[in-house]
């Protein structure tokens, strides 16, 4: 059975998924938006307390065309990224563990969720 790139499973212990990294506040909003969406799937998400960021696992190749302001997308080629239940980096932990989410997050869906999250944060901050 063939799957699209947006549904490529990242099943090996060392995976070639890319990572989209955003500030924690925007990332948490995006996770909520994705979880509320009809049929939209959020893949594994890593929380890094030290850098106050969230990293979404996305299909390989996403970094080549990623252009969302306020975020970065890093191509890993499997270097240093393990989908073990316990993250290898001190101060980090899975917000959405690999066991709960076997598929990488669709980059187009993530792009929309991050945009919506940014608008929500901007609106909330302007009300203060």
């Amino acid at each position: 059975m063939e799957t699209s790139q947006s549904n490529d499973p990242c099943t090996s212990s060392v995976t070639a998924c890319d990572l989209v990294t955003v500030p924690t506040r925007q990332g948490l909003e995006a996770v909520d938006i994705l979880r509320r969406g009809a049929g939209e799937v959020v893949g594994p998400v890593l929380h890094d307390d030290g850098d106050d960021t969230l990293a979404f696992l996305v299909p390989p190749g996403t970094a080549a065309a990623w252009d969302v302001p306020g975020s970065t997308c890093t191509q890993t080629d499997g270097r240093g990224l393990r989908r073990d239940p316990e993250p290898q980096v001190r101060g980090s932990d899975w917000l959405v563990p690999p066991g709960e989410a076997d598929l990488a997050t669709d980059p187009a869906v993530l792009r929309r969720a991050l945009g919506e999250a940014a608008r929500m944060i901007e609106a909330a901050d302007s009300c203060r």
Side-chain angles (χ1 to χ4, degrees):
M1 179 170 86
E2 272 188 38
T3 59
S4 69
Q5 179 183 9
S6 64
N7 291 329
D8 282 348
C10 300
T11 56
S12 63
S13 63
V14 178
T15 178
C17 291
D18 291 351
L19 291 173
V20 171
T21 305
V22 297
T24 298
R25 185 175 177 200
Q26 183 180 13
L28 290 173
E29 289 289 344
V31 168
D32 286 345
I33 291 164
L34 290 169
R35 285 185 168 168
R36 287 191 311 256
E40 295 175 353
V41 177
V42 60
V45 180
L46 188 64
H47 179 228
D48 184 348
D49 271 337
D51 287 338
D52 198 26
T53 59
L54 289 185
F56 293 80
L57 273 68
V58 293
T62 300
W66 191 257
D67 62 352
V68 177
S71 68
T72 59
C73 188
T74 307
Q75 182 179 16
T76 68
D77 291 326
R79 296 181 311 259
L81 179 62
R82 297 189 182 279
R83 293 212 24 206
D84 297 329
E86 295 300 318
Q88 301 297 312
V89 178
R90 187 180 195 116
S92 65
D93 198 6
W94 291 106
L95 179 67
V96 180
E100 291 181 16
D102 293 332
L103 302 177
T105 302
D106 182 316
V109 172
L110 179 57
R111 178 178 275 115
R112 286 191 301 271
L114 289 173
E116 184 177 338
R119 290 186 296 277
M120 289 173 62
I121 290 168
E122 184 178 343
D125 288 350
S126 69
C127 291
R128 291 183 185 185

